[in-house]
Amino acid sequence: MRNQMTFAVILVFCVVIPGSASSAEMGRLRYPPEMPGAEAKVYKKVNNVELKLYIYKPADWKPTDRRSAIVFFFGGGWQSGSPAQFRPQCEYFASRGMVAMAADYRVGSRHNAKVADCVADAKSAIRWVRQHAAELGVDSQKIVASGGSAGGHLAACTVMVPDLEAPDEDHTISSQANAAILFNPVLILSREGLSDRVPRQDLEERLRERFGTEPKAVSPYHHIHPGLPPMIIFHGTADTTVPFETIRLFAEAMKKAGNRCELVPFEGAGHGFFNFGRGDNSAYQKTLELADKFLVEIGFLAPKRQSEP
């Protein structure tokens, strides 16, 4: 247990682009991203940096619609990565009738950003979607946050972590997502309350500088309380980057607080197993299928018609 509970700290010291990624998968990690078919909108400017949302709309979209929306945040250890990672998922959910978006945000390698900056950007993205819901044809109360690895952490933060808001935005418009779909996310980033299971306090001291704030402030596990939006988590049981045990602990604590939190284990799968182009794409297809089912169950998507694949 103690070795397992080294938890997500190792993610901070690496770029999560596993060596087993296919050439097609690596192509989607280029930056600036290649996002054919997307409409790019600047949701935030920080100094001279423009952060964009890459928006995919259903074929029959019209401005008067009030559709559910989903916003994806890429992985990469808060250090690198590309919105193009989730282009296939965006295309799928747009085909299912959602307004699907992939968000850019500041990262360490490009912007010298801290984790707290990444969280602030993710919250800004959700706020921007809610603020512009009418023109996007979106229901402002049906905004889903999603992402993988560090991006899954950011999506979770938009659901449950308070504060860390951009100071110059309209805070009367909520930055809280209404649901979350998380792919091997980082959910425990502080030793507080877990110090008996997490050795090496020096690691947390090193992490504090990278976070730009106290570890607990950006640790979703430490912000669990009753009444949180529903979420589903896909995680590999053989993940050595974000150990499965940390996600099990998170899901148990969420349920104990009375929240809907579904944990779907993928037996023997490692980190990044869900990406399009990984292996035979069976995990990619399965996670889409289960995410779709989850959205139907919470009333964010209509059930598939028999004619739909």
Side-chain angles (χ1 to χ4, degrees):
M1 176 72 75
R2 175 164 295 191
N3 289 336
Q4 287 180 310
M5 286 305 300
T6 308
F7 61 67
V9 293
I10 56 176
L11 181 60
V12 180
F13 301 107
C14 67
V15 176
V16 185
I17 304 176
S20 59
S22 67
S23 58
E25 188 178 346
M26 293 299 290
R28 284 192 308 283
L29 301 179
R30 295 193 188 99
Y31 192 90
E34 297 175 2
M35 306 292 280
E39 177 184 7
K41 291 280 190 179
V42 175
Y43 74 88
K44 183 175 183 177
K45 293 182 181 180
V46 184
N47 298 323
N48 63 339
V49 176
E50 291 188 340
L51 299 174
K52 296 177 181 178
L53 281 165
Y54 296 90
I55 305 169
Y56 290 82
K57 296 174 180 176
D60 59 348
W61 177 92
K62 52 188 183 299
T64 55
D65 291 339
R66 290 295 174 266
R67 299 173 182 264
S68 298
I70 186 166
V71 183
F72 289 96
F73 300 97
F74 59 84
W78 307 283
Q79 285 296 298
S80 61
S82 171
Q85 176 187 7
F86 282 100
R87 192 180 84 201
Q89 286 89 344
C90 281
E91 293 170 342
Y92 171 81
F93 283 112
S95 76
R96 282 284 283 125
M98 299 182 79
V99 177
M101 313 174 209
D104 198 3
Y105 61 89
R106 290 172 291 167
V107 295
S109 63
R110 293 191 284 268
H111 312 104
N112 197 31
K114 307 293 187 182
V115 175
D117 300 320
C118 302
V119 174
D121 290 348
K123 291 184 164 223
S124 296
I126 298 298
R127 176 175 288 116
W128 187 93
V129 173
R130 183 165 283 120
Q131 187 174 19
H132 294 83
E135 67 192 69
L136 292 169
V138 163
D139 184 334
S140 65
Q141 298 307 307
K142 290 186 176 180
I143 300 172
V144 183
S146 185
S149 194
H153 164 260
L154 298 183
C157 285
T158 71
V159 166
M160 59 196 307
V161 171
D163 304 322
L164 300 179
E165 308 276 1
D168 55 349
E169 296 177 357
D170 184 356
H171 294 171
T172 65
I173 301 171
S174 174
S175 64
Q176 184 184 39
N178 304 108
I181 298 171
L182 310 179
F183 303 87
N184 49 237
V186 187
L187 297 174
I188 301 179
L189 286 168
S190 170
R191 298 172 68 251
E192 186 169 326
L194 297 169
S195 58
D196 60 325
R197 299 175 179 177
V198 184
R200 298 198 53 191
Q201 185 174 355
D202 63 303
L203 281 177
E204 187 168 346
E205 294 303 316
R206 290 160 64 188
L207 290 172
R208 185 173 283 110
E209 189 278 329
R210 289 285 303 277
F211 288 158
T213 186
E214 290 299 308
K216 184 178 176 181
V218 291
S219 180
Y221 176 88
H222 291 83
H223 296 283
I224 293 173
H225 60 82
L228 288 169
M231 66 173 61
I232 187 169
I233 307 171
F234 305 109
H235 212 93
T237 62
D239 193 327
T240 57
T241 302
V242 183
F244 183 79
E245 177 65 14
T246 66
I247 310 305
R248 185 187 64 78
L249 289 175
F250 175 88
E252 287 181 356
M254 283 285 284
K255 291 175 183 177
K256 186 176 181 180
N259 299 308
R260 175 169 180 170
C261 181
E262 299 177 37
L263 171 56
V264 182
F266 278 72
E267 194 63 38
H271 202 66
F273 71 97
F274 64 90
N275 283 299
F276 181 85
R278 188 65 60 93
D280 62 359
N281 273 338
S282 60
Y284 164 78
Q285 294 290 351
K286 187 64 176 178
T287 55
L288 276 187
E289 174 189 326
L290 294 174
D292 190 301
K293 180 175 179 286
F294 168 76
L295 292 171
V296 171
E297 288 177 353
I298 65 173
F300 282 42
L301 265 185
K304 282 187 176 183
R305 297 184 299 270
Q306 288 188 346
S307 58
E308 291 184 279

